[in-house]
Amino acid sequence: MPVDAALAETWIERWERQQERYAVEREERFTVVADVVEQIAGDRERPLVADLGSGPGSLSARVAARLPHAEVVAVDIDPLLLGLGKALRPQVTRWVETLIGRPGWLDALALDRPLDAVVSSTALHYPPPETLLEIYRDLAGVMRPGAVLVNADHLVPEEPSLAELALAVERRCSQRRGGANSEDWSQWWDAAARIPEFAELLAARERQLPPSEGDGNGLSAARHADLLLRAGFRQAGPVWQYGTSAVLVALR
């Protein structure tokens, strides 16, 4: 069931505010991702970019705005979030409903050429390490030489003292911005459940979403980089970080 554009705008605005509660300097982080993609793929005639775990297309839309000549494919398993994005963000070329890492998941993307870039925001911390390694291997097989993977996520340092300091930096930033007073994830979904127009998509969401994997894999930037190198990427490492909020890149 298509979502009305005006309704989608209201709920995507609420989504953006809610997400700022969890991602320190979220807009700057998105800007860094777009900077990297533009640096690697901006000169190509029609770069192909996949956004993994796109939700309603927050990152997809920003990449598309930076590279209007790109083909941006938004990939997620959540029917409601995809429906909101489809209704409001025509600059995103295609929306694909599939679970990242499920056998055959890449077939759903219907790629007609190698990817120039893969981006993701706060999504790749969910798969366990062995699944994530296979996802990285899958991606390495469909990316052109020189392509880039850009992962923006919460990557906590492995050393306890550094982790404590990174989390403290985030907490102070959130306090200064009043982030703790904004709507949180659970409140957003509870409110969305009361919208009659969302009933069909929410029912589909209940059928589609896999069982919860808790707080995620807890991998540091160094562990992600190790998995990426094992998967066939030639270089990997962080290019930006604020507290635990980081942008990690890997070159194919």
Side-chain angles (χ1 to χ4, degrees):
M1 177 181 176
V3 179
D4 174 76
L7 183 63
E9 182 176 16
T10 296
W11 281 88
I12 285 180
E13 286 178 357
R14 284 180 68 164
W15 175 268
E16 297 281 343
R17 292 195 300 270
Q18 174 250 121
Q19 288 288 290
E20 288 173 356
R21 179 187 179 107
Y22 301 102
V24 174
E25 296 294 342
R26 180 172 181 260
E27 199 60 46
E28 178 67 16
R29 194 169 79 173
F30 282 155
T31 298
V32 171
V33 173
D35 286 343
V36 173
V37 174
E38 183 177 24
Q39 178 69 23
I40 296 296
D43 291 338
R44 297 186 70 82
E45 182 177 351
R46 190 167 62 100
L48 180 59
V49 182
D51 178 10
L52 305 185
S54 65
S58 300
L59 181 54
S60 297
R62 287 163 172 84
V63 171
R66 180 72 71 88
L67 280 76
H69 61 301
E71 180 179 342
V72 180
V73 182
V75 185
D76 206 290
I77 191 58
D78 194 307
L80 176 59
L81 297 182
L82 289 171
L84 293 173
K86 288 178 188 178
L88 196 65
R89 289 171 162 158
Q91 66 271 46
V92 177
T93 312
R94 287 192 291 121
W95 301 83
V96 177
E97 185 177 308
T98 191
L99 179 64
I100 299 162
R102 176 182 290 165
W105 72 279
L106 278 175
D107 295 337
L109 275 60
L111 303 175
D112 61 359
R113 61 192 188 281
L115 287 160
D116 296 288
V118 175
V119 301
S120 185
S121 178
T122 324
L124 295 179
H125 64 259
Y126 289 111
E130 61 273 15
T131 301
L132 188 59
L133 177 59
E134 291 306 311
I135 291 170
Y136 285 155
R137 283 176 174 155
D138 288 344
L139 291 170
V142 295
M143 295 172 70
R144 69 168 177 84
V148 67
L149 182 148
V150 195
N151 180 22
D153 212 330
H154 304 289
L155 306 177
V156 180
E158 294 180 23
E159 302 82 357
S161 57
L162 293 181
E164 183 179 352
L165 286 171
L167 291 167
V169 167
E170 283 191 352
R171 186 168 58 251
R172 292 296 181 88
C173 180
S174 180
Q175 289 169 349
R176 289 192 295 270
R177 295 176 179 271
N181 299 322
S182 62
E183 182 177 52
D184 66 19
W185 169 272
S186 296
Q187 290 168 335
W188 189 94
W189 283 105
D190 288 345
R194 296 192 290 270
I195 304 301
E197 291 87 345
F198 293 164
E200 187 176 326
L201 290 170
L202 286 169
R205 182 177 190 267
E206 288 296 317
R207 295 190 299 269
Q208 282 285 64
L209 258 61
S212 173
E213 296 181 352
D215 294 330
N217 53 43
L219 296 178
S220 65
R223 292 286 307 283
H224 273 277
D226 177 66
L227 292 175
L228 286 158
L229 295 174
R230 288 170 56 192
F233 290 82
R234 59 185 173 88
Q235 292 178 331
V239 296
W240 179 91
Q241 187 162 357
Y242 191 122
T244 71
S245 184
V247 175
L248 178 76
V249 303
L251 295 172
R252 182 68 181 98

